[in-house]
Amino acid sequence: MITADLISQHQLTPAEYGKIVGILGREPSYTELGIFSVMWSEHCSYKSSRLHLKKLPTRGKLVVQGPGENAGIIDIGGGYVIAFKIESHNHPSFIEPFQGAATGVGGILRDIFTMGARPIAVLDSLRFGRPDDPNTGARNRRVLAGVVSGIAHYGNCFGVPTVGGECLFEPCYDGNPLVNVFALGICRKEDVFYAKAAGVGNPVIYVGARTGRDGIHGASMASAEFTEESKQKRPNVQVGDPFMEKLLLEACLEAMQTGAIVGIQDMGAAGLTCSTCEMGSRGEVGIEIELDRVPQRATGMTPYEIMLSESQERMLLVADKGREEEVFSVFRKWGLEAVEIGVVTPDGKLRVKHHGEVVAEIPNRELADEAPLYDRPHNAAPAAIRPTPDLPKPDVQNALLTLLAAPDICSKRWIWQQYDYQVRTNTVAGPGAEAAIIRIKETGTSVAMSLDGNGRYSYLSPREGAMLAVAEACRNLATVGARPVAATNCLNFGNPERPEIMAQLVEAIEGMADACRFFDTPITGGNVSLYNETLGEGIYPTPVLGIVGLLRTAPPVTIPFKNAGRAVMLLGGIGACDDVRLGGTQYAKEIVKQLWGLPPLLDLEYEQRVQYAIRRILAEGLAESAHDLSDGGLAVALAESSFGPAEIGAQIELDSNLRPEVLAFHEAPSRILISTANAKRVSAIADKYEVEAPVLGVTIEKGIEIRQRTITLGSWEIAALKSAYDGALESYVR
Amino acid sequence: MKFGVIVFPGSNCDHDAFYAVSANLGQQAEFIWHDSRSLGDVDAVILPGGFAYGDYLRCGAIAKFSPVMQAVREFSADGGLVLGVCNGFQILVEAGLLPGALIRNRSLKFVCRDVHLRTETANSAFTSAAFRGEILRMPIAHGEGCYFADERTLDELQAEDRIAFRYLDNPNGSLRDIAGILSRERNVMGMMPHPERATEPLMGSTDGLIVFESMLRVVQASRPAFAPAGRR
């Protein structure tokens, strides 16, 4: 008997329930109610965001597969394609950091190899509460340590290098950490597989780990705010087994080679339910399964539990009838269970049997693709721009030391040293680099990847924040010589039922759409994570972009200065910034300890010209080092460029009317710091693209000195700066 | 020369080892599946890094019972060259082909980074292309790489010149800074650092080639070039 209480426990509204009754022409059974509740959860159905996601550009010359599959696919030439996507695992990672993050990695890896691609790189974008907060610091450090070791545990054992990412800290993530994992895989163009069932009478085969009671309603959990009771949801978090996943990878890729597989999909969120109805819906066929045949690790599981379990490391595939044995023998070789649990039918329905009795019968298309669609109110008036506070007396000398030790800026070595970033021996540029670069042995070319997002900027202006994230990711790629070609996004926001949050989401999507269209980086897939709120406290709107670029394989130009006596040039120029645009910077955060105003001002046209220019400069081999300016602005970029083995710093003289602290630390985009032995040629290229490229000074040994005309703003020994930068994170987590 | 690369289901540096000796050393290589009872006609065997059978128990504790390890035992007993890298080292130790044990890093954390190694002996089939005292740079990537043995074993390794490599900056707490050791017959070597990850300039170092070049020399010379210590 379906009661109003039961409906609301399943996070379905009365109207949604009415729609279910309409589709079925009767009351649903308890199992059917569960199935609808997960498929129509925010996490699986994108019911609040779908309407706006349509605004994103998704097509391009190189796009082989856009949104709607398990991952996007881009043609990289030479007969090969790459599959990539970013996914969030925010909610589980707060409840159980280690397993939450580990299974986040597992889920995105399966999304990649279910397309027939072998995963070759992982990056992650992480947000935590501040590790140095006197009240919440201890818990934040515990979540950080758990998440990092969870990612390491899964990725290292599976054998995929974790080659980059970002990690930032804000109080708004205290009760709501963000764990966004990006994965990329490679595949021959003709070997791509799709998650589509076809061929009436073909067997439906279950492979991998057994089904247990773990993770039931994980997708629904990810679609609700956290409350005091959320800790009781720990059993909703799944447990990962990376060894099993590695077996599954090898077995699936080998089985695909037999030619006997028609379609394949992993069981991620909403498990068996999602994989069956989505494969059926895409292929416009029905699927009938018998739950008695599903391998189970617990006894007495109900149909409801089996259908909703999110046990990890499972796949569902449809094989050619009569060729099952070819598939089974591959899985046997890898010691995995593969069981025929059902059959493709002509009637377009998901029919679930238990002990021979039908326990659920739902049309696939209505279940998978016709979830409610909401145009949620987003007409909230934009928040008033917070006024600029009184600014402290500038002290560039000490501020640089403070900023280098700030959690957002300091070295993240403590994190990435726990990741195997080299396995597969393709890592041309790994963690700590401007962008990660993985060479493709098969094609002789390389792929560059960058994840970017800035919650502070997006909070001040969701539209500009999203555009800045796209611009920065593209700039990172350009700074290693790559041409950006495609993107994936992870949209982390609060409760969309609140108009002011919904407004943030809409603004961010529109900004992202404009910028991606401008840079010709179509979005081929991604993920939306809403309800990132704990006890009514929302996170900053945090859109994260993962952008992929292509380049030829060559030794990379890296961040550090290499030789003394070289010209230090700032491609893009010193830039402009007023007090309003200073409000989102790291200087504002760490020195003024406030957030106000607007994010730095972006000029897309200028940004693109800077990117063209840097690629030209790199292609001509003119830059000995290259580093884009971001958090902490010019002074921090200078310091980071001095942290190479050669300990080469710089003597800088700035001709500018900006206030000293603004000059040193503002974060205007479209700027790249380079050192060169041929300033003349660099200037000529900059002129050609109509971008500024002032010579700021010269590289020197052991120190950094910054003067504004005749006044010395600061002078530092590299060793002192480096020890602040290197030691900070370790000192927090210890 | 033909290298055999053993593949356990959870090996994940198998392709890297294969690539290093084929593409970068220019020799033949073939994969050998973990349930094979024979190694075929290979001249040397590499046990690559990874997580052989998941390693949820002690690293290598299950791998030592695999069919292929019986073949590796016989191969080494006949004087065949066996190189174990990372998980391969852990397996060799578990299988009793090398003494001691590899336990959790002192930091209790997985660590991936470049280390500097001092070549402690050039008198082996794995280090003859280096000179004694030569400093090599190559990466480590492990959670359980702290070499541990009793004092007597450590003294014996030292006395018999069986310590192949030592860390200059010990990353994991290994006793006496040990990074790699040799069997008594000097035809089996285990090391935690990854020489296969340092075999071309794009990887950041080519120092790892020394290990494979040494093996190549011995096989090409086709004679037992190195007498066990004490019997010379």
Side-chain angles (χ1 to χ4, degrees):
Chain A
M1 185 57 207
I2 308 295
T3 63
D5 248 12
L6 201 57
I7 295 166
S8 101
Q9 274 168 30
H10 281 79
Q11 290 169 30
L12 290 164
T13 65
E16 288 170 343
Y17 183 73
K19 189 168 173 181
I20 293 171
V21 173
I23 288 170
L24 296 176
R26 59 177 164 80
E27 300 265 307
S29 68
Y30 180 59
T31 304
E32 287 170 334
L33 184 72
I35 288 173
F36 271 106
S37 78
V38 290
M39 285 311 295
W40 287 8
S41 68
E42 187 66 55
H43 185 83
C44 288
S45 73
Y46 299 89
K47 58 189 168 192
S48 303
S49 58
R50 230 156 69 220
L51 194 66
H52 302 285
L53 293 174
K54 287 180 189 153
K55 299 170 186 168
L56 294 169
T58 59
R59 287 162 210 266
K61 257 202 333 271
L62 303 180
V63 177
V64 175
Q65 174 66 53
E69 266 287 346
N70 284 295
I73 293 189
I74 289 291
D75 193 334
I76 60 164
Y80 281 82
V81 297
I82 49 173
F84 64 96
K85 195 167 79 168
I86 190 167
E87 274 249 353
S88 65
H89 232 216
N90 304 338
H91 293 81
S93 300
F94 179 59
I95 295 178
E96 216 296 271
F98 181 91
Q99 290 296 348
T103 53
V105 176
I108 188 70
L109 290 173
R110 278 194 304 283
D111 281 338
I112 301 304
F113 70 78
T114 195
M115 308 286 306
R118 177 180 286 275
I120 55 171
V122 162
L123 289 83
D124 38 53
S125 175
L126 309 176
R127 300 289 184 282
F128 302 102
R130 286 190 74 118
D132 53 351
D133 187 295
N135 299 315
T136 58
R139 187 183 65 190
N140 294 337
R141 293 192 292 271
R142 205 162 53 238
V143 175
L144 164 70
V147 164
V148 169
S149 51
I151 292 170
H153 165 72
Y154 210 99
N156 295 353
C157 179
F158 179 83
V160 64
T162 301
V163 293
E166 47 162 19
C167 180
L168 301 165
F169 303 87
E170 294 284 350
C172 68
Y173 304 114
D174 273 349
N176 235 302
L178 303 185
V179 176
N180 294 178
V181 185
F182 167 101
L184 180 142
I186 175 117
C187 170
R188 284 206 317 224
K189 198 173 175 182
E190 65 270 25
D191 290 348
V192 174
F193 269 81
Y194 295 100
K196 201 164 140 179
V200 171
N202 276 339
V204 175
I205 297 171
Y206 171 116
V207 297
R210 293 170 163 245
T211 296
R213 289 197 171 93
D214 50 333
I216 292 173
H217 272 304
S220 312
M221 174 184 77
S223 308
E225 293 177 32
F226 277 126
T227 59
E228 279 299 338
E229 289 79 49
S230 291
K231 282 182 195 135
Q232 295 167 2
K233 295 197 171 168
R234 198 161 287 153
N236 289 16
V237 179
Q238 318 85 325
V239 176
D241 177 353
F243 176 59
M244 174 66 88
E245 179 110 330
K246 158 85 169 141
L247 300 179
L248 207 50
L249 160 79
E250 300 293 352
C252 285
L253 293 185
E254 200 173 316
M256 287 166 176
Q257 290 301 317
T258 64
I261 294 183
V262 174
I264 178 166
Q265 172 154 352
D266 76 300
M267 294 190 221
L272 195 51
T273 292
C274 184
S275 52
T276 45
C277 73
E278 284 193 353
M279 282 184 75
S281 178
R282 286 197 195 97
E284 297 177 356
V285 291
I287 285 187
E288 178 177 310
I289 55 173
E290 169 52 76
L291 296 182
D292 290 354
R293 297 200 207 143
V294 171
Q296 293 160 44
R297 63 165 168 255
T299 52
M301 287 181 73
T302 64
Y304 182 97
E305 289 172 325
I306 298 169
M307 288 305 288
L308 268 58
S309 161
E310 292 188 6
S311 292
Q312 297 287 293
E313 292 92 22
R314 303 179 300 161
M315 307 284 274
L316 192 75
L317 56 91
V318 173
D320 260 334
K321 190 170 174 58
R323 297 183 67 184
E324 299 88 339
E325 186 46 38
E326 292 173 60
V327 175
F328 290 148
S329 78
V330 172
F331 285 96
R332 256 198 313 274
K333 172 186 164 190
W334 289 95
L336 292 175
E337 243 172 325
V339 182
E340 188 176 329
I341 62 164
V343 64
V344 177
T345 64
D347 63 6
K349 286 184 178 166
L350 168 63
R351 190 173 304 105
V352 182
K353 291 184 175 175
H354 194 226
H355 309 319
E357 239 170 78
V358 176
V359 293
E361 191 172 59
I362 308 172
N364 279 324
R365 193 166 46 90
E366 282 79 352
L367 177 58
D369 298 326
E370 291 183 7
L373 180 62
Y374 294 123
D375 185 3
R376 296 200 187 276
H378 52 89
N379 51 356
I385 294 174
R386 292 194 204 179
T388 305
D390 288 336
L391 299 179
K393 194 168 162 290
D395 177 0
V396 173
Q397 178 74 37
N398 286 311
L400 179 57
L401 279 162
T402 304
L403 284 173
L404 288 172
D408 287 355
I409 293 179
C410 71
S411 168
K412 304 300 186 296
R413 192 180 56 191
W414 180 85
I415 294 175
W416 52 256
Q417 262 191 4
Q418 298 184 49
Y419 304 147
D420 187 343
Y421 52 86
Q422 295 172 317
V423 63
R424 306 197 64 75
T425 60
N426 293 325
T427 308
V428 175
E434 196 67 42
I437 305 175
I438 289 284
R439 59 121 172 232
I440 310 289
K441 288 182 183 127
E442 292 83 349
T443 59
T445 58
S446 291
V447 172
M449 295 153 282
S450 179
L451 299 190
D452 280 291
N454 188 317
R456 294 170 67 79
Y457 292 176
S458 298
Y459 178 73
L460 296 175
S461 166
R463 184 179 296 266
E464 291 180 53
M467 296 176 93
L468 283 159
V470 176
E472 165 142 22
C474 289
R475 192 183 329 124
N476 288 337
L477 297 181
T479 307
V480 298
R483 183 171 55 93
V485 293
T488 174
N489 63 359
C490 201
L491 302 169
N492 307 278
F493 289 78
N495 181 348
E497 293 161 42
R498 300 202 334 223
E500 67 276 20
I501 302 287
M502 198 59 213
Q504 292 174 342
L505 178 63
V506 173
E507 291 271 313
I509 289 174
E510 289 177 0
M512 189 178 288
D514 286 349
C516 283
R517 207 166 274 127
F518 183 83
F519 288 106
D520 198 12
T521 51
I523 295 201
T524 59
N527 174 235
V528 181
S529 172
L530 302 178
Y531 297 97
N532 287 289
E533 302 199 2
T534 296
L535 304 174
E537 193 68 33
I539 58 165
Y540 289 158
T542 314
V544 173
L545 261 295
I547 302 198
V548 172
L550 305 179
L551 68 165
R552 67 192 177 87
T553 299
V557 172
T558 56
I559 293 172
F561 297 135
K562 308 295 183 299
N563 298 291
R566 300 293 191 254
V568 176
M569 300 177 77
L570 187 56
L571 190 66
I574 285 169
C577 179
D578 58 18
D579 286 352
V580 173
R581 297 278 176 186
L582 192 67
T585 63
Q586 288 291 326
Y587 182 83
K589 177 176 175 179
E590 298 294 335
I591 308 294
V592 189
K593 300 194 185 300
Q594 304 264 359
L595 176 63
W596 74 88
L598 289 168
L601 190 61
L602 172 67
D603 174 345
L604 284 175
E605 299 279 351
Y606 192 73
E607 172 73 45
Q608 191 161 49
R609 293 207 301 277
V610 168
Q611 294 183 18
Y612 285 141
I614 187 67
R615 275 198 296 272
R616 184 74 233 156
I617 289 163
L618 293 171
E620 290 191 18
L622 297 169
E624 286 185 359
S625 69
H627 188 20
D628 100 299
L629 268 55
S630 60
D631 287 1
L634 175 60
V636 165
L638 272 169
E640 288 171 344
S641 298
S642 307
F643 294 159
E647 284 211 3
I648 304 290
Q651 199 164 34
I652 298 298
E653 198 177 308
L654 303 166
D655 182 15
S656 165
N657 294 325
L658 291 172
R659 282 208 314 279
E661 81 277 26
V662 179
L663 179 58
F665 302 117
H666 82 82
E667 296 176 6
S670 320
R671 298 185 298 161
I672 299 165
L673 189 71
I674 62 171
S675 62
T676 177
N678 191 347
K680 210 174 132 196
R681 179 66 195 140
V682 170
S683 290
I685 292 173
D687 284 349
K688 187 183 156 217
Y689 289 101
E690 296 176 33
V691 297
E692 295 175 47
V695 175
L696 303 186
V698 62
T699 55
I700 57 169
E701 282 177 7
K702 302 243 179 297
I704 298 181
E705 193 185 329
I706 303 179
R707 276 181 306 187
Q708 184 171 15
R709 302 200 176 114
T710 53
I711 302 156
T712 301
L713 301 185
S715 148
W716 305 266
E717 284 191 11
I718 292 171
L721 296 176
K722 191 162 170 16
S723 102
Y725 177 80
D726 278 348
L729 189 57
E730 265 151 89
S731 77
Y732 297 135
V733 290
R734 219 161 248 155
Chain B
M1 167 180 187
K2 191 194 261 185
F3 287 86
V5 178
I6 310 286
V7 182
F8 297 99
S11 296
N12 60 29
C13 302
D14 46 346
H15 289 270
D16 302 351
F18 188 100
Y19 179 82
V21 296
S22 55
N24 293 336
L25 193 69
Q27 301 302 308
Q28 287 179 283
E30 77 177 36
F31 290 119
I32 301 170
W33 187 233
H34 65 116
D35 62 6
S36 313
R37 287 171 199 282
S38 146
L39 303 180
D41 61 349
V42 301
D43 299 300
V45 167
I46 301 174
L47 288 114
F51 294 73
Y53 292 96
D55 285 347
Y56 294 124
L57 197 57
R58 241 168 30 244
C59 294
I62 299 179
K64 72 175 165 191
F65 297 114
S66 65
V68 80
M69 280 311 291
Q70 190 49 42
V72 170
R73 272 193 199 91
E74 287 158 15
F75 183 74
S76 74
D78 289 344
L81 298 183
V82 178
L83 170 66
V85 173
C86 199
N87 190 226
F89 186 12
Q90 294 163 341
I91 294 168
L92 289 173
V93 166
E94 281 290 332
L97 289 170
L98 291 171
L102 291 150
I103 60 174
R104 286 288 293 279
N105 294 346
R106 193 58 59 81
S107 66
L108 301 182
K109 293 208 175 340
F110 190 99
V111 59
C112 178
R113 67 171 168 95
D114 278 0
V115 294
H116 288 91
L117 304 176
R118 190 171 55 237
T119 312
E120 296 290 335
T121 179
N123 176 30
S124 88
F126 308 93
T127 56
S128 63
F131 56 84
R132 187 160 174 252
E134 186 167 350
I135 307 297
L136 306 178
R137 186 165 60 88
M138 57 185 88
I140 54 164
H142 58 245
E144 305 190 12
C146 173
Y147 184 74
F148 191 90
D150 59 29
E151 283 296 308
R152 221 183 75 191
T153 305
L154 293 169
D155 289 343
E156 207 172 273
L157 286 172
Q158 180 105 31
E160 294 175 3
D161 192 29
R162 287 165 56 195
I163 299 172
F165 297 111
R166 276 197 167 94
Y167 300 109
L168 292 192
D169 171 19
N170 193 333
N172 52 27
S174 289
L175 296 183
R176 302 199 192 175
D177 301 326
I178 286 174
I181 57 170
L182 295 156
S183 66
R184 184 160 280 139
E185 308 300 325
R186 309 186 83 75
N187 64 324
V188 178
M189 181 170 84
M191 62 190 295
M192 288 312 296
H194 286 271
E196 81 281 7
R197 295 189 185 186
T199 54
E200 61 179 306
L202 209 56
M203 296 179 187
S205 169
T206 55
D207 291 356
L209 275 177
I210 281 184
V211 172
F212 303 110
E213 276 164 1
S214 301
M215 295 168 79
L216 178 60
R217 276 195 206 177
V218 171
V219 170
Q220 283 182 337
S222 214
R223 58 188 163 77
F226 302 95
R231 276 191 246 158
R232 264 171 297 180

